[in-house]
Amino acid sequence: MTNTVKQLRSVRPDMPQSDSALPGWPLLLRESGESLVDQIVRGIRARIDDKLLRSGVRMPSIRQFADGNEISRFTVVEAYDRLVAQGYLESRRGSGFYVKERSPLGGGYGNTAAQAEAVAEAGRGLDVVWLVRNMFRQMPPHKMPGGGLLPPDWLDGELIANALRAVSRDNPSLLLGYGTPLGFLPLRQQLQLKLAELEIAAAPDQIVMTTGVTQGLDTVARHFLRPGDVIFVDDPAWFLMFGSFAALGAKIVGIPRLGDGPDIARLRELAAIHKPKLYVINSVLHNPTSTSLSAAKAFQVLRIAEEHDFIIVEDDIYCDMHPGSAVQPATRIAALDQLQRVIYLGGFSKTLSANLRVGFIATSAELARSLADRKLLSTLTTGEIGERVAYKVLSEGHYRKHAERLRARLNGARDKVMRQLERMGMEIGDPPPCGMFLWVDTGRDTNVMTEEAMEQGFLLAPGSLFSPSQLPSTRMRINVASMSDPGIWRFLEKAMAR
């Protein structure tokens, strides 16, 4: 048995015990819309990047691979040739194809992720970059229960396509230049109406368009933070910002998150010690717990911010997954403060399209001008095509009905997933009444579970990645919309039985 067979059998333990049967790839789906060549290239690259295929290992012969998958040998030849061209494999005359040796000087496989791994220590544990890289690997959505997006078939691609066609017909010449520094004015006017429904008063000149909430956070952080400054985040919280803030030289301090918001006593104590510049918080449908801030906690957070003179950055990316205060309580700190000490961030990547990259910052008019200037210096203007598409969808009344359908579908999926997880022995505590995430306690080290799941082609999100400390955790974030694959349930059942 070749070393390759042994390594890939750890991914598929049910694989037959012969070299010729090796490539029983779960990725080769003829009905997926992705060519077989692309699927093979993506699958082998992923296994090499994750060190499931080590440098120097001999790949299956073209005949073995083709026969094992019942595909044409020409398909395998093309896939192998692409992997050679990309620096993942090397061809040795008369011997076959081998995983290419990594260069200790960083001349790895032709992509930055692989080059970074080439100079990292062998056996490096999970980290934020690991999860982000795997989230952007274009794995099938049903293989990513730890991912942060809704599956494409939950969204309305036709809605986006119709809006895009309408935008292209309006005045094509308007799509050829830069946008304006603050962003597309009609969209900002539409957002003024949307924020008014949340009881947040913001004129168009108080709104700055961004390429998603990620750029909004980065722009705000760059404006306020200097090396050595302290920034507060929830613990747990959205992991990507930890690395972003650390790269600016900031000190990140976690505030324990409870079921109704932050631990107020701890927030007050740490604010007195550290004198933070910023506190980034999800008030509504917190990531990863899907809990929301109570009105009492919101008042207390704002009072502490005033006492210790720090800015609150309110990330409300999951706004439209909440049914509204008329149905369930939902307090935004920005509605209490009216954008004096609170900077409000929002966007449409979760409910409309991540690929549009349409987000926004709402703040005072003076700070909005300063943030727009900073945006100009780093990225010039934001993409007006996406902003025009978002405006079409919002202004023509389609978005509200779309959001209602998403909430209803999430409610059905959440209840079913919670019952199955609890039957396995996982603890959910007070189940969130809405949102896309569950923050479950497995009673086991979820770093270990995540590594085992990746070997079987599934992406989980271990609790350690959601804490600034990144200490081992028994917690795990589950995306209830991405739990349709029977394979992930079989994996979790076996993992919980051990």
Side-chain angles (χ1 to χ4, degrees):
M1 184 185 301
T2 67
N3 289 335
T4 308
V5 175
K6 292 176 181 177
Q7 290 185 25
L8 285 182
R9 186 153 295 132
S10 68
V11 179
R12 300 200 63 209
D14 58 330
M15 200 167 61
Q17 303 291 313
S18 69
D19 289 4
S20 62
L22 161 65
W25 293 84
L27 299 175
L28 297 188
L29 304 174
R30 289 164 175 79
E31 68 277 11
S32 71
E34 182 183 21
S35 74
L36 294 176
V37 171
D38 288 340
Q39 291 182 57
I40 294 169
V41 170
R42 175 166 57 82
I44 293 176
R45 284 181 54 158
R47 284 156 174 78
I48 294 174
D49 283 344
D50 289 329
K51 300 180 182 178
L52 299 176
L53 289 176
R54 302 286 181 172
S55 301
V57 166
R58 184 178 183 273
M59 295 297 295
S61 71
I62 291 170
R63 178 188 60 78
Q64 287 174 327
F65 203 119
D67 292 349
N69 283 285
E70 299 180 353
I71 59 177
S72 166
R73 296 183 187 182
F74 294 108
T75 298
V76 183
V77 169
E78 183 176 349
Y80 276 13
D81 284 345
R82 285 192 194 179
L83 289 162
V84 170
Q86 294 170 13
Y88 277 80
L89 300 182
E90 61 178 335
S91 175
R92 300 179 187 175
R93 184 179 297 275
S95 180
F97 291 85
Y98 292 78
V99 178
K100 192 171 183 179
E101 294 287 345
R102 297 174 183 265
S103 167
L105 299 178
Y109 297 128
N111 66 6
T112 55
Q115 290 174 2
E117 284 194 351
V119 297
E121 291 184 14
R124 182 191 59 183
L126 302 177
D127 59 17
V128 170
V129 176
W130 177 91
L131 183 58
V132 174
R133 186 183 70 236
N134 282 288
M135 286 175 62
F136 284 88
R137 180 171 287 161
Q138 303 300 314
M139 293 172 67
H142 61 279
K143 300 287 188 181
M144 300 176 66
L149 295 175
L150 295 175
D153 62 354
W154 281 55
L155 303 176
D156 194 338
E158 191 61 30
L159 179 64
I160 303 298
N162 289 338
L164 186 57
R165 283 191 289 267
V167 166
S168 67
R169 288 193 301 266
D170 285 348
N171 189 341
S173 64
L174 295 177
L175 307 180
L176 303 179
Y178 291 120
T180 59
L182 288 174
F184 186 50
L185 176 59
L187 177 56
R188 289 186 284 120
Q189 292 170 332
Q190 190 68 36
L191 291 173
Q192 179 182 15
L193 300 176
K194 180 177 175 61
L195 290 174
E197 294 178 357
L198 304 177
E199 300 181 347
I200 301 171
D205 66 348
Q206 293 178 256
I207 298 173
V208 183
M209 302 308 302
T210 62
T211 54
V213 166
T214 303
Q215 189 196 25
L217 278 172
D218 185 71
T219 301
V220 170
R222 289 178 184 277
H223 180 81
F224 284 98
L225 297 178
R226 299 293 178 270
D229 286 345
V230 172
I231 184 168
F232 282 179
V233 299
D234 285 336
D235 188 358
W238 183 47
F239 49 82
L240 187 63
M241 62 182 173
F242 302 156
S244 176
F245 297 153
L248 298 176
K251 180 181 178 182
I252 305 165
V253 175
I255 306 299
R257 178 81 181 206
L258 307 178
D260 61 347
D263 182 329
I264 292 297
R266 191 67 175 142
L267 174 61
R268 182 176 286 111
E269 176 187 357
L270 292 173
I273 294 171
H274 293 288
K275 300 298 181 184
K277 287 289 186 69
L278 303 173
Y279 178 19
V280 181
I281 184 172
N282 285 136
S283 295
V284 176
L285 296 184
H286 167 256
N287 180 11
T289 67
S290 287
T291 59
S292 295
L293 192 64
S294 68
K297 284 283 181 78
F299 277 107
Q300 290 173 303
V301 170
L302 184 56
R303 184 180 303 151
I304 293 171
E306 291 169 348
E307 290 174 1
H308 295 279
D309 193 26
F310 60 82
I311 299 295
I312 298 169
V313 184
E314 190 169 25
D315 175 0
D316 200 15
I317 187 62
Y318 301 99
C319 169
D320 296 317
M321 291 186 185
H322 193 282
S325 57
V327 180
Q328 294 168 3
T331 303
R332 273 92 180 172
I333 308 176
L336 305 178
D337 172 77
Q338 293 302 313
L339 304 178
Q340 298 303 305
R341 184 173 293 277
V342 178
I343 300 172
Y344 180 90
L345 306 180
F348 303 96
S349 62
K350 306 300 181 183
T351 51
L352 195 56
S353 170
N355 209 1
L356 283 179
R357 309 307 302 139
V358 177
F360 64 92
I361 304 169
T363 183
S364 67
E366 180 181 0
L367 181 55
R369 288 191 294 271
S370 297
L371 295 178
D373 289 343
R374 181 167 291 276
K375 185 180 81 169
L376 274 171
L377 292 174
S378 60
T379 60
L380 295 178
T381 61
T382 40
E384 193 170 290
I385 294 176
E387 292 171 6
R388 285 175 176 266
V389 169
Y391 169 71
K392 280 283 185 184
V393 174
L394 268 64
S395 65
E396 294 179 358
H398 304 302
Y399 181 71
R400 188 181 300 272
K401 294 179 180 178
H402 168 67
E404 289 174 357
R405 290 192 295 270
L406 284 182
R407 290 195 294 268
R409 192 169 181 183
L410 278 170
N411 288 342
R414 186 186 315 105
D415 292 342
K416 180 181 178 181
V417 170
M418 283 195 300
R419 288 194 298 270
Q420 288 182 265
L421 293 175
E422 287 174 334
R423 279 198 295 267
M424 290 181 183
M426 296 188 190
E427 295 184 6
I428 299 174
D430 294 329
C434 49
M436 64 190 291
F437 299 129
L438 296 175
W439 185 236
V440 302
D441 192 341
T442 67
R444 290 150 178 79
D445 186 340
T446 50
N447 277 4
V448 174
M449 289 179 65
T450 300
E451 291 176 331
E452 292 173 347
M454 181 56 70
E455 290 178 351
Q456 297 188 30
F458 295 103
L459 178 68
L460 301 181
S464 63
L465 298 185
F466 294 87
S467 173
S469 69
Q470 295 200 350
L471 294 174
S473 171
T474 60
R475 291 279 184 174
M476 177 168 63
R477 186 185 75 178
I478 294 288
N479 182 339
V480 299
S482 298
M483 293 293 289
S484 60
D485 193 310
I488 187 59
W489 289 108
R490 288 193 295 269
F491 168 81
L492 292 176
E493 192 82 51
K494 291 179 180 177
M496 292 299 293
R498 287 198 290 269

